[in-house]
Amino acid sequence: MRLMKAKREYVAVAVTGALCLSLLGLTGAEGSPKATSTADSPVRFRPGSPGLGDSYFPLEGNGGYDVQHYGLALTYLPNAHHLGGTATIFATATQNLSRFDLDLKNYKVDSVTVNGAEARFTRQGQELIVTPRQGLLDGNRFIVVVAYSGTPHTVVNSPIVFGAPYGWIYTKDGAFVGCAPNAASTWYPSNDHPSDKATFRYDITVPTGTKVVANGDLTREISNGSRDTFTWSERAPMATYLATVDIGKYNFHSTRTASGIPEFVGIDPALEQRAERTKVIGLTGDITDYWSKLFGPYPFSSTGAIIDNVPKIGFSLETQTRPLYGFVPDAGTASHELAHQWFGDSVSVRRWRDIWLNEGFAVFANWLWTEHTTGHSTYATARHFFNEVVPRFWKQSIADPGRDTMFAFPVYFRGGMTLASLRHKIGDQRFFTLLKTWATQHRYGNVTTKQFTDLAARVSGQNLDGFFKTWLWKQVKPPKI
């Protein structure tokens, strides 16, 4: 995610029914759900927890199951601000479940089925509490279909992002959808935490003349008279907050990078000429190819950008495969968001307190791009910020920055300085081996700060405990960089 303007103060498939059940092996000869217990082997079931225990967001995510896939078949009417349809969720129970929660804010829920049978449901805050007809055995796969409709919710006045709006943001011709950190539940039911990744398919229907850009690959466009349906598929595991469907009168550009990676860019027509002048399509391809050399092979099926004309938003977001911008990005912003495809999207945090592993890495990558294009080293850039930031910049531990300051300036720039200083300390060969090993070993996975510091020690052959304690934990300025 790009820094908010407020932070500058520190510097001087949707498939349904019997087919789903058959694919997952959940039906018997007559198509009914399999039994979950037997008379001679009684099974005890218990509710899944209403949250995953993340200290920053105790109610985000849910316990008792793991999602493998979301299929979102939705219709959006921009003039009425109305969103409705079905979410089909493929999941596996991780305990014997009597009931489970999904995260969903607002909306009228019309029905919920589990394995094709109607299920009871209740609402409690952001929790959609689902009780299936039969308990779900630990290790068994199941399918939930939620039919819902309503008006998407924009998150406003949140201290987490310094009051900037996020989530489903209305535009003149559709929507700009950026969900970090906790707004996926404002438009689809989910296990809304980065530790539970899943694949996605979107079938989004909009009025003819309006287009949809999302994650992954555009696999189909169907015209239905006055409405068109766009099907997008993201086949790599993705955190819920990285999912996006951006709706408007876009111009589509489909090409390839110099190394052959498919590239898809959607541009608001009002920004088309400026995008051409800044050569943003070529820039996106060049940066993707360069990061592929430094960080390892590009982890997804396509790269690109979503460029909407939303100048008051003030942020961009690393939505998987296709970063989201409310403006035409410059090289600094594009290099930051595209670096997230490795650090944040493919390799994602297991808990929100470790967010520097996303943002510090992306800031450092921005500096790496500057080094690549101008020769100005990452170490020189880090020294500049080290000398220029005001004293209170150092009054925050970036390894546990606090929920309301998790996107504060130090998380980004002290994180970038940490990596620049580490590179200086262990040398280029070991440092870039470390980055590539980190991205490769944890591809599509979830990580913690300790895993990174342990790997850095192994790759470098040095005891780095004091170094990381100083840079990541202490709330004082390091003695040197």
Side-chain angles (χ1 to χ4, degrees), residues 104-109 123 125-126 148-149 151-153 185-186:
L104 182 66
K105 296 168 183 162
N106 304 316
Y107 294 98
K108 178 181 181 292
V109 176
R123 307 296 297 274
Q126 72 180 55
Y148 66 105
S149 61
T151 301
H153 174 60
S185 57
T186 65

Side-chain angles (χ1 to χ4, degrees), residues 84-106:
T86 61
T88 302
I89 301 169
F90 296 72
T92 301
T94 57
Q95 66 179 62
N96 292 329
L97 275 175
S98 60
R99 69 170 189 257
F100 58 90
D101 289 17
L102 293 167
D103 297 309
L104 182 66
K105 296 168 183 162
N106 304 316

Side-chain angles (χ1 to χ4, degrees), residues 39 83 164 174 282 398 405 417 440:
L83 181 71
I398 66 169
T405 49
M417 283 186 252
T440 302

Side-chain angles (χ1 to χ4, degrees), residues 220-445:
R220 186 174 62 177
E221 297 179 47
I222 297 177
S223 178
N224 303 298
S226 63
R227 296 182 183 180
D228 295 339
T229 299
F230 294 79
T231 299
W232 288 84
S233 180
E234 172 53 304
R235 299 176 182 87
M238 180 167 69
T240 50
Y241 80 92
L242 297 170
T244 190
V245 289
D246 295 273
I247 298 163
K249 298 184 183 300
Y250 287 100
N251 294 335
F252 284 175
H253 302 267
S254 184
T255 183
R256 288 181 178 269
T257 72
S259 72
I261 299 169
E263 180 179 350
F264 189 100
V265 178
I267 304 176
D268 186 306
L271 299 178
E272 185 73 42
Q273 290 187 352
R274 184 175 178 185
E276 289 179 1
R277 287 197 304 271
T278 59
K279 300 180 180 179
V280 70
I281 296 174
L283 177 66
T284 295
D286 291 346
I287 294 171
T288 300
D289 282 345
Y290 187 63
W291 290 161
S292 297
K293 294 177 183 177
L294 288 190
F295 306 148
Y298 184 67
F300 305 119
S301 61
S302 64
T303 186
I306 303 169
I307 302 172
D308 206 351
N309 187 24
V310 198
K312 294 182 180 180
I313 292 303
F315 71 86
S316 54
L317 183 65
E318 68 276 12
T319 44
Q320 190 160 303
T321 70
R322 197 150 289 106
L324 175 64
Y325 309 99
F327 44 83
V328 177
D330 58 16
T333 301
S335 62
H336 178 110
E337 303 302 356
L338 287 165
H340 274 310
Q341 303 305 307
W342 285 262
F343 308 115
D345 295 10
S346 175
V347 181
S348 303
V349 293
R350 186 177 300 166
R351 55 195 182 184
W352 281 111
R353 64 181 282 184
D354 295 311
I355 190 63
W356 86 275
L357 292 170
N358 293 12
E359 302 303 346
F361 277 58
V363 165
F364 178 76
N366 181 347
W367 299 348
L368 270 176
W369 182 254
T370 299
E371 179 179 282
H372 172 63
T373 55
T374 71
H376 191 74
S377 73
T378 61
Y379 188 65
T381 301
R383 282 185 60 85
H384 167 76
F385 284 104
F386 184 83
N387 293 326
E388 291 297 323
V389 293
V390 298
R392 66 189 178 89
F393 171 92
W394 304 103
K395 303 296 184 182
Q396 184 179 13
S397 161
I398 66 169
D400 189 4
R403 191 197 71 167
D404 288 352
T405 49
M406 61 187 285
F407 294 120
F409 192 86
V411 175
Y412 289 68
F413 280 76
R414 188 168 181 173
M417 283 186 252
T418 298
L419 294 172
S421 185
L422 179 64
R423 177 187 180 185
H424 186 69
K425 182 177 180 65
I426 69 176
D428 274 12
Q429 182 176 353
R430 291 185 178 90
F431 179 78
F432 286 106
T433 297
L434 169 63
L435 291 190
K436 189 172 287 189
T437 302
W438 178 249
T440 302
Q441 285 187 355
H442 299 287
R443 188 179 176 98
Y444 308 137

Side-chain angles (χ1 to χ4, degrees), residues 46-49 51-52 62-66 92-97 99-100 136 138 142 191:
R46 58 189 175 90
S49 62
L52 285 174
N62 304 280
Y65 65 94
D66 177 75
T92 301
T94 57
Q95 66 179 62
N96 292 329
L97 275 175
R99 69 170 189 257
F100 58 90
L136 302 169
D138 185 8
F142 63 96
N191 198 22

